Amino acid sequence: MKIGLFIPCYINAVYPEVGVASYKLLKHLGLDVDYPLDQTCCGQPMANAGFENESLKLALRMEELFQQYDYVVGPSASCVAFVKENHPGILKSGGHACLNSGKIYDICEFLHDIVKPEKLPAVFPHKVSIHNSCHGVRELYLSSPSEMNIPYFSKLRDLLKLVEGIEVLEPKRIDECCGFGGMFAVEEPEVSVCMGYDKVKDHMSTGAEFITGADSSCLMHMQGVIEREHLPIQTIHITQILAAGL
C-alpha cells in the first residue's frame, strides 16, 4: 500500500519534529511512505471562521496532491477530521467528488486499526497523561466519548502500551475540552485560557511529567498555559513518544 503523509501547515511551521517523527515511525514499520511536496492548508481555519467557500481551492489542491495514494495519513486529529467530514460537502458545492475522505486517517487511528503493530522500539521512561482532543474523540473515535453508554476504549493508550518504560495515566475529566477550539481561542480568549488552565491542572493531578495527545493544536494551547504559569509539566505529541529512539 502507498501512503501519502499529510503534514498540516501549523505542524510544518511550528512543530516540524512531529512531522519527522511521523515519517520515521511509518518507515520503521516497513510502510511505503511518500511526502507530497507543495502541501498547503486543508482549509479548516477559513471554514471555522465562516468562510467555507474560500477553502474550496485548498480542498481541490489536496485532492490533486493525494490522488495517487491508497491512504492519506496525518499527525493531526482535527485536520484529518476536517478533511474526512467537511471536504465532501465543500467539494460538492464546487461540483467535485471527494476521494480523500474515504482514505484519510489520523496516524494513531491508522496504526491501531490498519497496521496493528505488536511491538515498537520506543523507550520513554516517564509518566504521561493522555489528552483526548474533541475532534479525535467525537469524529474519529480515537477513544470512547464519555457521554455515550459504551465500553471504554482508547487507541492512544493501546499504542502507548507498546512503549518500554512508560507509565500511562489519564485525567479525571477524561475527554473534557482544553479550550483551544481554533477560532474559539481567538474570539473568546478569556474563556479559552481558563479552560486550558483547568485542563492542565487536571492532567497534573495524575502526577504526570508530560501531557500527550494526537493534536499539536491542543498541546500548543496547553503549553502556552504551562509556560505562562510556570507549571511543572510539559507537552509532547504522541508520535514523538512512539518514535522515540528512531
Side-chain angles (χ1 to χ4, degrees):
M1 55 184 172
K2 186 75 172 177
I3 299 164
L5 183 59
F6 164 48
I7 301 298
C9 49
Y10 72 97
I11 290 181
N12 183 59
V14 185
Y15 300 106
E17 63 273 15
V18 174
V20 172
S22 300
Y23 182 80
K24 285 183 176 180
L25 182 58
L26 294 171
K27 290 292 287 185
H28 172 79
L29 292 170
L31 301 170
D32 186 5
V33 187
D34 185 31
Y35 174 69
L37 299 178
D38 301 321
Q39 293 187 39
T40 59
C41 178
C42 66
Q44 182 175 193
M46 293 84 127
N48 287 350
F51 301 97
E52 191 173 88
N53 60 310
E54 295 189 13
S55 62
L56 175 58
K57 289 183 179 180
L58 296 174
L60 285 169
R61 177 62 173 160
M62 190 163 178
E63 285 287 310
E64 177 188 345
L65 279 176
F66 289 95
Q67 62 181 339
Q68 63 180 299
Y69 301 103
D70 300 310
Y71 293 98
V72 181
V73 178
S76 170
S78 64
C79 296
V80 166
F82 181 77
V83 173
K84 190 177 186 68
E85 300 294 329
N86 295 82
H87 271 205
I90 292 169
L91 288 164
K92 184 178 180 180
S93 68
H96 300 275
C98 181
L99 301 179
N100 285 331
S101 63
K103 62 181 182 181
I104 191 167
Y105 289 81
D106 172 78
I107 191 169
C108 294
E109 178 187 25
F110 183 70
L111 293 175
H112 187 277
D113 296 354
I114 306 299
V115 182
K116 302 178 182 179
E118 296 182 358
K119 61 180 180 179
L120 291 172
V123 178
F124 197 76
H126 300 283
K127 294 181 178 180
V128 175
S129 183
I130 297 175
H131 178 70
N132 295 308
S133 61
C134 299
H135 288 89
V137 175
R138 295 178 176 87
E139 291 190 331
L140 300 181
Y141 295 100
L142 296 181
S143 64
S144 50
S146 57
E147 68 273 11
M148 295 178 67
N149 187 26
I150 59 176
Y152 174 74
F153 68 86
S154 170
K155 296 178 183 180
L156 274 65
R157 174 182 272 275
D158 290 345
L159 291 172
L160 288 170
K161 285 181 179 179
L162 301 176
V163 177
E164 183 181 342
I166 197 169
E167 183 176 347
V168 183
L169 307 161
E170 292 173 286
K172 298 182 183 70
R173 299 186 297 279
I174 198 164
D175 56 10
E176 182 180 81
C177 179
C178 71
F180 177 64
M183 290 303 298
F184 178 75
V186 176
E187 296 168 348
E188 299 287 348
E190 294 84 2
V191 179
S192 176
V193 169
C194 285
M195 292 175 69
Y197 182 78
D198 287 347
K199 191 65 186 182
V200 171
K201 295 292 283 187
D202 197 17
H203 281 297
M204 288 178 60
S205 72
T206 68
E209 303 164 71
F210 292 90
I211 303 169
T212 194
D215 264 306
S216 288
S217 51
C218 299
L219 298 174
M220 175 178 65
H221 179 62
M222 290 186 286
Q223 186 66 39
V225 172
I226 290 166
E227 292 179 3
R228 284 192 297 271
E229 300 296 328
H230 306 289
L231 299 175
I233 196 167
Q234 293 296 314
T235 62
I236 185 171
H237 195 280
I238 188 171
T239 57
Q240 293 174 273
I241 296 177
L242 300 178
L246 293 179

